[in-house]
Structure formats: C-alpha cells, structure tokens
Amino acid sequence: MASLNIPSLPLLAALALILVLPVRAVTSASAEAAQMAVGRVEPADLNDEEVQKVINFAAKTYNDMNNDLYFSKPIQVMSASQQVVAGMNFYLKIKFGRTTCTKAQSDLADCPFNEQSDQQKRVICNFQISTVPWMNKMSVTNFNCPRT
C-alpha cells in the first residue's frame, strides 16, 4: 500500500518538463525581444534631452561647415530616428533658416530668422551622428545638404 503514495518516476519527469518548458520559453522570448531592439532604427523622441543635444550638435556642425556670414538655426526637425549600437546612432533631417545675426556675434540664442526675401536662405540637411554618452563623445559620421 505504501507504493500508492509515491508517484512513479515517469510521472515526476513529465511534471518537471511541464514546469520547466514554459519558464524557458518566456526567458527565450524576452531575450529575443531585447536582442531585436539592438540595431533596429526607431523613431526618436524630439523632447528627449539626449536628442536635443544631438540636434544642437548638428546645428553647430552646419554653422561651422558653411561659409555664410550669418548664423543659421533649425526651422524644423523633419525626421529623427535612433539606433542602439555601441552607443547610439542618430539620423536627422533638419530644415535650417538664416537668421539676422552674424556668426561673429556673441549671443546667438535669440536670433530671429531673416524674413527679407533676398536674404532668406533655407536648406535641408541630413545628418548621421554617433554618440557614446558614457564617454561624453559625439561625432558626425555623415552630413549632406542636397541642393533642391
């Protein structure tokens, strides 16, 4: 009669498999989801502080690289996406406009856009910017302003 109270070995093995398989499947699915996020290009949040730093860096790069006497600033961020790599890649499409301030001026924060039709200069530029936040590194890996 004592043998009725002890489950058989095959029954114990089947019970163990039933308990282990769902846990393993959930763990595997979570790992796959996390791995898929790395390397995937996704929309960037324009309100995010890091994204704003990258946009400002792109604007500084644009002003440093062009030979215009006047300071330009973003009119509109037309698109922004990001990609997790060994750091982050940001892909930006920004429409710039010429301001009334020369680059030689010290306070460029409140420069209004130049509204005179013969002085307006609008340009759309594409940037790829790589960042490594924990090393405080940011660099432009690709930059172009195609003529329209």
Side-chain angles (χ1 to χ4, degrees), residues 22-42:
V23 170
R24 185 177 178 129
V26 168
T27 304
S28 177
S30 298
E32 286 177 26
Q35 187 177 20
M36 287 175 58
V38 175
R40 182 174 44 199
V41 177
E42 299 176 339

Side-chain angles (χ1 to χ4, degrees), residues 17-113:
L17 279 176
I18 290 171
L19 293 174
V20 170
L21 285 179
V23 170
R24 185 177 178 129
V26 168
T27 304
S28 177
S30 298
E32 286 177 26
Q35 187 177 20
M36 287 175 58
V38 175
R40 182 174 44 199
V41 177
E42 299 176 339
D45 179 3
L46 295 179
N47 296 317
D48 182 77
E49 184 180 338
E50 187 68 18
V51 175
Q52 284 299 309
K53 287 179 188 177
V54 172
I55 292 168
N56 291 336
F57 185 73
K60 181 181 180 332
T61 300
Y62 174 75
N63 280 296
D64 289 348
M65 300 291 278
N66 74 44
N67 59 3
D68 195 348
L69 295 175
Y70 292 91
F71 178 71
S72 292
K73 63 182 184 179
I75 295 172
Q76 175 189 15
V77 177
M78 300 172 78
S79 66
S81 55
Q82 61 190 22
Q83 178 183 34
V84 177
V85 290
M88 290 288 281
N89 285 334
F90 291 91
Y91 304 93
L92 305 171
K93 184 175 189 176
I94 303 173
K95 184 177 188 177
F96 289 97
R98 179 189 276 166
T99 68
T100 59
C101 299
T102 65
K103 290 181 181 177
Q105 290 178 249
S106 59
D107 184 20
L108 299 172
D110 295 324
C111 293
F113 289 107

